[in-house]
């Protein structure tokens, strides 16, 4: 019993430190910046000019905005945009391409805090863009080619606060801070549970046994056995939980910055996992209907990202 209490307290301390001293400051600054650019119309201007260039990949103007949200806000931010696309009559084929792109890209709530631990954020962002476009194109032209492509007249206006005065700017910053705080606090339960499981398994020797058992197969394909635990955690508990596990491994010396920046940067930093898919498909009925072709396209995009990181590794 004393062992369990000690593990829970250590996991709780690590989770709170990660949430409030790493995740929260990064998200406050980045969300404030993003919301200010949004309120000043800078994002609207960028989306309007990028949309025609990305149309051949199966993306609309709102799809471009979803890409900005996943890369610079959090994995849950595109839910509102996907819901808007669902309600405004975007075709199922374009919707699937956008969902695939979001699933294949690096979510900011993981990539930005990991940058403080040694992740090369610029490289991850670049390959995230490439992987997202590959996923969208693969879904639009291959996996979702039989989906209806007929669109109604679309209103792609982005409704958001306007910051034309000092008070408006302060309101935008306050809302962004509240949003960042909600993300940080919401991450704590999953972090505590995942870190408790990790520390308990480590104390019991289960991790060492699993690593010893799988190491020959992983080494045969030049994979790092240290990635066994974060990979299992990522696909079962989500990216935030994986980030907590990776932080614990870096502290314990069982992982390094090189581990972060290898193929794992493409394979593990994206929302294509059980919790991530559950959140994204909650955007609407038609979004849920196209998740299978979108997931297949996203897998292609993630593979492209992993190969890219491996090539420059």
């Amino acid at each position: 019993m004393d062992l369990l209490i000690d593990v829970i307290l250590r996991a709780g301390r690590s989770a709170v430190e990660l949430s409030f001293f790493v995740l929260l400051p990064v998200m406050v600054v980045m969300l404030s910046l993003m919301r200010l650019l949004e309120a000043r119309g800078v994002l609207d201007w960028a989306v309007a000019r990028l949309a025609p260039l990305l149309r051949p990949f199966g993306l609309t103007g709102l799809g471009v905005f979803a890409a900005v949200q996943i890369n610079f806000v959090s994995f849950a931010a595109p839910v509102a945009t996907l819901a808007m696309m669902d309600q405004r009559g975007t075709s199922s084929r374009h919707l699937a391409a956008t969902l695939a792109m979001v699933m294949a890209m690096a979510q900011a709530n993981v990539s930005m805090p990991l940058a403080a631990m040694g992740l090369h954020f610029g490289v991850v962002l670049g390959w995230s863009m490439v992987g997202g476009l590959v996923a969208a194109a693969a879904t639009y032209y291959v996996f979702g080619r039989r989906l209806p492509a007929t669109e109604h007249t679309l209103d792609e206006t982005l409704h958001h606060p306007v910051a034309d005065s000092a008070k408006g700017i302060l309101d935008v910053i306050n809302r962004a801070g509240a949003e960042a705080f909600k993300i940080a606090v919401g991450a704590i339960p999953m972090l505590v549970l995942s870190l408790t499981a990790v520390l308990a398994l480590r104390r019991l020797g289960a991790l060492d046994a699993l690593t010893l058992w799988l190491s020959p197969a992983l080494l045969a394909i030049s994979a790092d056995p240290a990635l066994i635990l974060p990979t299992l955690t990522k696909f079962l508990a989500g990216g935030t939980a994986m980030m907590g596990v990776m932080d614990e491994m870096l502290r314990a010396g069982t992982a390094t910055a090189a581990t972060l920046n290898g193929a794992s940067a493409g394979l593990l930093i994206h929302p294509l996992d059980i919790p991530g898919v559950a959140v994204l498909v909650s955007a609407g009925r038609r979004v849920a209907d196209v998740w299978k072709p979108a997931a297949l396209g996203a897998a292609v995009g993630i593979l492209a990202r992993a190969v890219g990181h491996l090539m420059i590794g």
Side-chain angles (χ1 to χ4, degrees):
M1 192 64 181
D2 290 342
L3 174 63
L4 178 61
I5 296 298
D6 180 59
V7 165
I8 292 172
L9 291 177
R10 281 193 58 195
R13 190 180 305 112
S14 296
V16 170
E17 286 178 358
L18 183 59
S19 292
F20 286 117
F21 300 119
V22 177
L23 183 59
L24 182 59
V26 171
M27 295 311 296
V28 165
V29 173
M30 291 308 301
L31 274 172
S32 296
L33 178 61
M34 284 298 300
R35 296 310 185 203
L36 282 172
L37 291 175
E38 182 182 73
R40 297 294 291 180
V42 175
L43 291 187
D44 293 353
W45 178 87
V47 165
R49 280 149 185 79
L50 287 173
L53 300 176
L54 300 183
R55 192 81 183 183
F57 293 92
L59 300 174
T60 63
L62 288 174
V64 177
F65 191 65
V68 173
Q69 289 176 314
I70 184 75
N71 282 289
F72 294 100
V73 182
S74 77
F75 86 98
V79 171
T81 302
L82 289 168
M84 196 183 302
M85 294 174 71
D86 184 13
Q87 295 159 10
R88 293 186 183 183
T90 301
S91 74
S92 295
R93 194 173 175 187
H94 285 97
L95 200 55
T98 303
L99 180 60
M101 175 200 67
V102 169
M103 287 180 176
M105 285 183 156
Q107 70 265 50
N109 59 298
V110 173
S111 60
M112 288 182 180
L114 283 178
M117 304 175 197
L119 182 71
H120 298 153
F121 178 72
V123 176
V124 170
L125 181 60
W127 283 111
S128 174
M129 297 294 185
V130 172
L133 293 178
V134 169
T139 303
Y140 190 77
Y141 293 108
V142 181
F143 301 111
R145 65 185 182 279
R146 292 191 176 89
L147 293 172
T150 305
E151 291 191 323
H152 304 293
T153 302
L154 291 180
D155 171 19
E156 294 197 320
T157 306
L158 299 169
H159 302 291
H160 47 66
V162 177
D164 287 333
S165 64
K167 184 178 184 302
I169 292 174
L170 186 60
D171 287 343
V172 169
I173 292 173
N174 285 337
R175 276 193 293 268
E179 189 178 351
F181 187 79
K182 182 178 179 181
I183 291 172
V185 172
I188 292 176
M190 189 58 74
L191 284 173
V192 171
L193 290 173
S194 60
L195 289 175
T196 298
V198 169
L199 292 174
L201 290 172
R202 183 172 292 156
R203 290 283 186 92
L204 294 172
L207 289 184
D208 293 336
L210 182 63
T211 302
L212 185 64
W213 181 53
L214 293 177
S215 287
L218 291 172
L219 290 172
I221 58 172
S222 300
D224 188 349
L227 293 175
I228 294 172
L229 179 59
T231 300
L232 290 174
T233 305
K234 190 267 180 305
F235 288 101
L236 294 176
T240 306
M242 181 277 294
M243 177 179 65
V245 170
M246 191 63 78
D247 179 57
E248 182 64 29
M249 290 173 64
L250 289 168
R251 291 172 186 267
T254 55
T256 65
T259 308
L260 278 179
N261 290 294
S264 60
L267 290 173
L268 299 182
I269 307 176
H270 56 78
L272 186 58
D273 48 54
I274 293 174
V277 172
V279 170
L280 290 171
V281 300
S282 69
R285 180 186 59 81
R286 290 199 304 126
V287 179
D289 289 343
V290 300
W291 81 268
K292 289 181 181 178
L296 292 172
V300 175
I302 291 166
L303 181 60
R305 287 181 57 202
V307 171
H309 282 285
L310 200 59
M311 286 170 53
I312 65 173

